[in-house]
Amino acid sequence: MRIAVTGSIATDHLMAFPGRFVDQLIPDQLDHVSLSFLVDALEVRRGGVAANIAYGLGGLGLDPLLAGAVGPDFGEYEVWLKEHGVDTSAVHVSAERQTARFMCMTDQDNNQIASFYAGAMAEAGRIDLRAVHGRSPLDLVLVSPNDPGAMVHHTEQARALGIPFAADPSQQLARLTGEEVRRLVDGARWLFTNEYESALLCERSGWTRAEVLERVGSWVTTLGADGVRIDSKDGPTVTVHAVPDVTAADPTGVGDAFRSGFLAALSWQLPLENAAQLGCAMSALVLAAVGSQSYEIRPQALLDTVRAVYGDRAAALLGPKLGQLT
C-alpha cells in the first residue's frame, strides 16, 4: 500500500517538570494565570505528527510518502528521514519560514502543557496531491494535523481523485471550525481520535457519535493505558488492551506510533484486531523512549511483545510480515 502522510513536520523541544501542574493552580485565580515552571531537563528532538507517523511506517518497511512543509533548516532532518525509509519528494521547502516548532512540558503525572509555532507549515496547502498521485499512484492519504486550510485542501483532493483517506484531526480540533471538521471527516475510510478528542469532534461538528459513524468507515479511538476501541456502523466493536507495565519515559508521539503500526498491518491485509495490536506494541516502544523518533524497531523484539501480550495467534499472523524486516 502506497501511503501519503500529510501533516506537520517539526522540531520538538521537550521539557520535564518535576512537580504537578495542578498543584500550581489556585482555584479562585484562574482568570489571570501567570506561571513560570523551572524544568529539570530539555530534549530537542525531531517531530511533527506526519513525520512521526512516516518514520514509523518507514521502519515497518512501507516506504511512506511524506507531504508537509518545512523551512531551509530541514536538511539534516531530511537525511535522517530518508535513512529511515521515508520518501521526502513531496515535502515543500519554504524560502521564508523556518520549520515548525513544538514546545511541550510534561509533569510527573504525564500531564502536558504545549505550544506550537506553525512556521513553514502555513505553506502546506501549496502541496498538490494530484501531481504527487500522477507521479506515483497513492492507495491511501492520511490527513493529520497541519495548517487547517491544507487539511481541508488535501482531503478534498483525495475525494476528487477517488483515493481512500484517513482523517486524523487530533490536536487541530481546537483550531478547526465546525464546517472544517465536517469536511475533514465526511467519507473518511478511517477516523482517528483519542477519547477526549472524540467528544470534542462531536461538539465541533454538531454530529452525534451515531451520525459520525454514518459518515466514516471505522472510528479508531485510542484510550491511553486502556488500549484502543474501533467502532463501525455495521460491524462489531473491536477492543484491544494496551501493552502493560511499560515504564513511561515520555508520552510524546505515542498516538503517532499507534497509527504507524495500525496502518502498516492494514496494508498487510491483516484483521482489525491485529492492526490494533501492532499499533499498541508500537506505542509501547515510543512511550519507553524520550522523543517521538528515538525508538528503534527491532522486528524480533516487537514480535516477542505481541506474543507475550496478545498470544501466539497474533504473533503467527504478524510474524511473517515482521520477519521480512530483518
Side-chain angles (χ1 to χ4, degrees), residues 112-153:
Q112 294 183 312
I113 296 175
S115 58
F116 189 85
Y117 165 67
M121 195 177 78
E123 300 178 17
R126 300 183 187 181
I127 298 171
D128 185 0
L129 293 184
R130 294 172 299 182
V132 172
H133 184 61
R135 293 193 301 268
S136 178
L138 302 172
D139 299 301
L140 180 72
V141 173
L142 172 61
V143 181
S144 66
N146 201 354
D147 173 77
M151 294 173 72
V152 172
H153 176 58

Side-chain angles (χ1 to χ4, degrees), residues 43-299:
E43 296 279 351
V44 180
R45 302 283 180 171
R46 304 173 184 92
V49 173
N52 292 342
I53 296 171
Y55 174 86
L57 288 169
L60 292 169
L62 266 73
D63 187 32
L65 180 74
L66 177 61
V70 299
D73 55 335
F74 182 58
E76 184 179 345
Y77 193 173
E78 182 176 27
V79 171
W80 164 266
L81 290 169
K82 287 181 175 179
E83 290 175 345
H84 290 83
V86 178
D87 181 349
T88 61
S89 62
V91 171
H92 167 79
V93 181
S94 170
E96 302 172 357
R97 299 177 173 93
Q98 295 294 301
T99 301
R101 298 288 188 274
F102 173 64
M103 290 153 281
C104 181
M105 181 169 50
T106 304
D107 74 0
Q108 66 183 30
D109 293 332
N110 278 329
N111 295 315
Q112 294 183 312
I113 296 175
S115 58
F116 189 85
Y117 165 67
M121 195 177 78
E123 300 178 17
R126 300 183 187 181
I127 298 171
D128 185 0
L129 293 184
R130 294 172 299 182
V132 172
H133 184 61
R135 293 193 301 268
S136 178
L138 302 172
D139 299 301
L140 180 72
V141 173
L142 172 61
V143 181
S144 66
N146 201 354
D147 173 77
M151 294 173 72
V152 172
H153 176 58
H154 292 145
T155 300
E156 292 180 341
Q157 284 196 321
R159 285 195 190 98
L161 291 166
I163 305 169
F165 68 94
D168 180 18
S170 50
Q171 295 101 318
Q172 284 292 53
L173 281 169
R175 178 76 178 267
L176 296 166
T177 67
E179 175 60 24
E180 287 171 333
V181 172
R182 290 188 290 271
R183 291 167 72 183
L184 290 170
V185 169
D186 198 12
R189 176 73 57 86
W190 306 99
L191 170 62
F192 293 98
T193 62
N194 63 28
E195 194 165 25
Y196 177 79
E197 291 161 355
S198 66
L200 182 58
L201 185 144
C202 289
E203 187 272 330
R204 287 296 166 91
S205 68
W207 291 333
T208 65
R209 285 189 58 84
E211 288 172 329
V212 173
L213 288 172
E214 288 279 350
R215 292 169 166 82
V216 302
S218 293
W219 189 348
V220 182
T221 306
T222 55
L223 307 171
D226 293 326
V228 61
R229 182 183 68 246
I230 305 171
D231 297 297
S232 304
K233 174 189 172 185
D234 298 319
T237 295
V238 175
T239 57
V240 170
H241 60 273
V243 175
D245 304 322
V246 178
T247 301
D250 174 26
T252 308
V254 169
D256 303 334
F258 173 85
R259 287 151 175 76
S260 298
F262 184 84
L263 292 173
L266 290 182
S267 77
W268 299 333
Q269 299 183 333
L270 295 179
L272 278 181
E273 183 178 20
N274 298 112
Q277 290 164 346
L278 182 59
C280 289
M282 288 284 289
S283 294
L285 286 180
V286 179
L287 185 59
V290 176
S292 51
Q293 296 178 33
S294 300
Y295 66 98
E296 180 183 354
I297 296 175
R298 296 191 294 274

Side-chain angles (χ1 to χ4, degrees), residues 3-21:
I3 301 175
V5 185
T6 74
S8 63
I9 304 168
T11 301
D12 293 346
H13 294 248
L14 310 176
M15 293 159 279
F17 175 61
R20 303 173 69 238
F21 295 145

